[in-house]
Amino acid sequence: MVFTSTSNKTPPSFRRAFSQEQPEGKEPSDELHIAEPITEQRLLDIIEQTYPNAIPLEEIQRHFYGTDDQFEELLKALQDRNLIRKLENGSWIRVVTYDADIQVVKNMPKVLAFEQPTVAIITSSYCEKVAVDSMIDKQKTYVRYKTEGGSEANVYTLGEMGPRRVVSTKLPTIGHRREDMIAAGNTTTRLLGTFQQIEYVLLVGVAGGVPHHTDASKHVRRGDVIVSAPGQPQTPMYIFCEQVSEGDQPNTTDWVTQTWCPAELRVQLVAEALRHQVNTNPNDAQWLAYLHEGLKRVRSQEKSFQQPTNDRLYMAVGEGQLIEIEHPVAAERVDEKRLPAIHLGQIASGSAVFADSALRRTFGESAKVLAFDQDFDSVVESIHGSRIDNYAFIRGIADYADGTHDKEWQPYAALVAAALAKDIIQRLPHAVDTDV
């Protein structure tokens, strides 16, 4: 396998090539979008995914199939539960039930100097935004619409995490379509243009872990949290695989990638200290206390943020067959109650590699990534282009794919990531001199 980096975001020494055999007869494949039957939960999911934008019924019907009566009945059921509402132009939007102080504005009001946020938190799903906002005190939310009818909107929640002023936002959509990537990048650029005292950017949410089937010290489980960090000096923290092709040698694959790493690693240094703390004296881990506080704050939500009990692990044995296996457990911790673990390492994404489980496994082993995520290349590029020297992904593990496949674990995994983010944020030094 040849690993070719097209990025200039990491030192040239990383832009190297290495090879590994690909299983014979296995071809790279693209994932086809297949419409699913409409259900109430799927309907709510896509409206939440689009928030803070509204979504027209015609767009919803592109994703699901069903009769007009079925769509009307399910939309009414969600509307009766005060989860969604219909705008004058016929589009549908999520009703935010956890934040009473929301202002809809055409332009952001002036934020006084002492209220300017220095940390920006970016989320990509509704439950991630709920989780992050449960960690923010004295919050005030602004929804700004660029156009009429609920399209091209931005949502900003301002508040405090300890002594730090923060702002959280939700990307209107994230995905493999080019227009989704461009929209996500534009939202990030507007965020950093609106709040110009930002020193740190954290992408907080869920991802899919890369499990280790035999070594407990390298194993990543659901409910754990990963902070993106370079695996070794002169290596990236985030890898986006944009193209896969057959290699020049038999049974090899060429990977064309873009890579990024922040200029400074202050977030990662704080995360490493907290990882050591939870491993040696978990009773002193403040972020675990924040997790319990967050669970109380989100108790009224329609989705459960409690930790699920089902965490089955499977291993591929060839020809599309899977077998269930036990999670590896360190001998000295067999009888201990397992707490969420902190991992530091590389995160990767890219539909080119994610579409095929064998490719994903091979790429993950070769690039030594700990998690696969959705496509954030345009978001990270916007952060880098805005000259933010300190940024990181903080991702709770929801499944063993890319974080989108196990809906049951997503709320809890997002809350774990948000709790750790809150602890990290309060320990960060000021990156630049400001008046606040």
Side-chain angles (χ1 to χ4, degrees):
M1 176 178 67
V2 177
F3 195 126
T4 305
S5 173
T6 61
S7 172
N8 59 2
K9 314 306 184 301
T10 52
S13 57
F14 180 73
R15 297 196 291 274
R16 66 192 190 281
F18 58 89
S19 298
Q20 178 169 323
E21 288 191 357
Q22 180 187 346
E24 187 172 356
K26 195 68 178 176
E27 298 290 339
S29 61
D30 292 324
E31 187 176 23
L32 298 177
H33 174 74
I34 301 175
E36 298 176 304
I38 185 64
T39 66
E40 185 175 300
Q41 186 58 54
R42 286 171 179 161
L43 187 58
L44 180 60
D45 285 345
I46 195 169
I47 294 174
E48 287 184 343
Q49 177 184 340
T50 310
Y51 178 83
N53 286 343
I55 182 170
L57 177 59
E58 305 78 50
E59 178 66 17
I60 296 174
Q61 291 174 328
R62 285 185 56 247
H63 294 266
F64 309 108
Y65 62 84
T67 65
D68 290 343
D69 288 343
Q70 286 176 313
F71 278 97
E72 183 178 348
E73 178 183 347
L74 294 175
L75 286 166
K76 185 177 186 305
L78 291 173
Q79 188 176 29
D80 290 344
R81 291 167 57 193
N82 196 35
L83 297 179
I84 63 174
R85 65 184 176 91
K86 190 176 184 179
L87 302 182
E88 292 181 359
N89 68 346
S91 296
W92 294 88
I93 193 169
R94 183 62 158 91
V95 174
V96 178
T97 58
Y98 64 89
D99 186 352
D101 192 0
I102 299 178
Q103 297 182 32
V104 177
V105 297
K106 290 185 177 180
N107 296 294
M108 274 296 297
K110 181 178 176 59
V111 179
L112 299 176
F114 69 91
E115 293 183 331
Q116 282 287 339
T118 57
V119 179
I121 304 172
I122 297 174
T123 64
S124 63
S125 75
Y126 186 79
C127 77
E128 292 172 356
K129 184 70 164 60
V130 173
V132 166
D133 289 355
S134 74
M135 301 291 161
I136 301 177
D137 297 317
K138 299 180 181 178
Q139 59 183 256
K140 180 177 293 185
T141 297
Y142 299 94
V143 178
R144 180 176 68 177
Y145 291 115
K146 186 178 177 181
T147 59
E148 297 296 329
S151 63
E152 294 190 57
N154 301 113
V155 57
Y156 301 127
T157 298
L158 295 160
E160 298 175 356
M161 286 188 178
R164 279 280 190 176
R165 292 288 300 174
V166 303
V167 57
S168 73
T169 192
K170 178 191 171 295
L171 301 173
T173 186
I174 190 78
H176 301 312
R177 298 188 309 170
R178 197 66 235 169
E179 53 265 40
D180 293 340
M181 300 178 191
I182 293 172
N186 290 341
T187 299
T188 305
T189 300
R190 283 194 292 271
L191 166 72
L192 299 176
T194 301
F195 304 100
Q196 299 188 7
Q197 299 297 326
I198 297 298
E199 302 171 1
Y200 299 91
V201 178
L202 304 180
L203 294 93
V204 179
V206 302
V210 178
H212 198 289
H213 294 143
T214 58
D215 189 340
S217 66
K218 300 177 181 178
H219 187 43
V220 176
R221 292 189 63 166
R222 290 181 176 93
D224 287 353
V225 59
I226 293 177
V227 179
S228 60
Q232 298 291 335
Q234 307 299 317
T235 62
M237 71 159 200
Y238 176 62
I239 306 170
F240 175 70
C241 184
E242 57 184 345
Q243 185 178 340
V244 179
S245 60
E246 292 185 2
D248 294 333
Q249 301 299 319
N251 300 325
T252 63
T253 302
D254 289 351
W255 316 90
V256 178
T257 66
Q258 296 185 63
T259 60
W260 289 266
C261 193
E264 299 178 357
L265 299 175
R266 299 188 184 197
V267 177
Q268 288 76 7
L269 290 173
V270 173
E272 175 59 32
L274 293 178
R275 185 183 73 85
H276 176 74
Q277 181 188 60
V278 77
N279 288 342
T280 56
N281 194 356
N283 291 330
D284 291 339
Q286 185 62 42
W287 65 278
L288 293 176
Y290 292 148
L291 174 60
H292 291 300
E293 292 173 10
L295 285 168
K296 294 178 182 178
R297 291 190 178 188
V298 298
R299 192 175 293 166
S300 62
Q301 289 296 302
E302 56 280 352
K303 288 184 179 179
S304 173
F305 281 76
Q306 292 293 327
Q307 181 179 11
T309 57
N310 176 28
D311 182 17
R312 293 181 176 178
L313 180 64
Y314 296 91
M315 182 174 67
V317 293
E319 298 182 356
Q321 300 297 311
L322 298 174
I323 59 170
E324 184 175 355
I325 62 174
E326 295 291 329
H327 289 275
V329 179
E332 67 274 15
R333 295 194 172 186
V334 171
D335 298 324
E336 293 183 17
K337 181 180 179 181
R338 190 179 188 280
L339 296 172
I342 300 174
H343 308 268
L344 279 81
Q346 297 175 120
I347 292 177
S349 69
S351 57
V353 65
F354 179 75
D356 187 287
S357 60
L359 287 175
R360 186 171 69 248
R361 184 174 61 252
T362 303
F363 181 85
E365 292 173 352
S366 302
K368 294 181 172 56
V369 301
L370 294 185
F372 283 97
D373 212 328
Q374 300 180 77
D375 293 355
F376 284 97
D377 57 311
S378 62
V379 175
V380 180
E381 180 62 29
S382 295
I383 296 170
H384 182 84
S386 298
R387 300 184 180 278
I388 302 296
D389 289 336
N390 289 277
Y391 57 91
F393 289 80
I394 302 179
R395 316 303 281 179
I397 299 305
D399 56 39
Y400 301 117
D402 72 341
T404 66
H405 286 224
D406 193 332
K407 302 291 185 184
E408 183 183 16
W409 275 86
Q410 284 178 8
Y412 176 76
L415 199 64
V416 173
L420 180 61
K422 181 173 183 176
D423 202 352
I424 289 175
I425 286 169
Q426 295 181 81
R427 299 168 187 264
L428 291 172
H430 280 286
V432 296
D433 293 328
T434 66
D435 296 330
V436 295

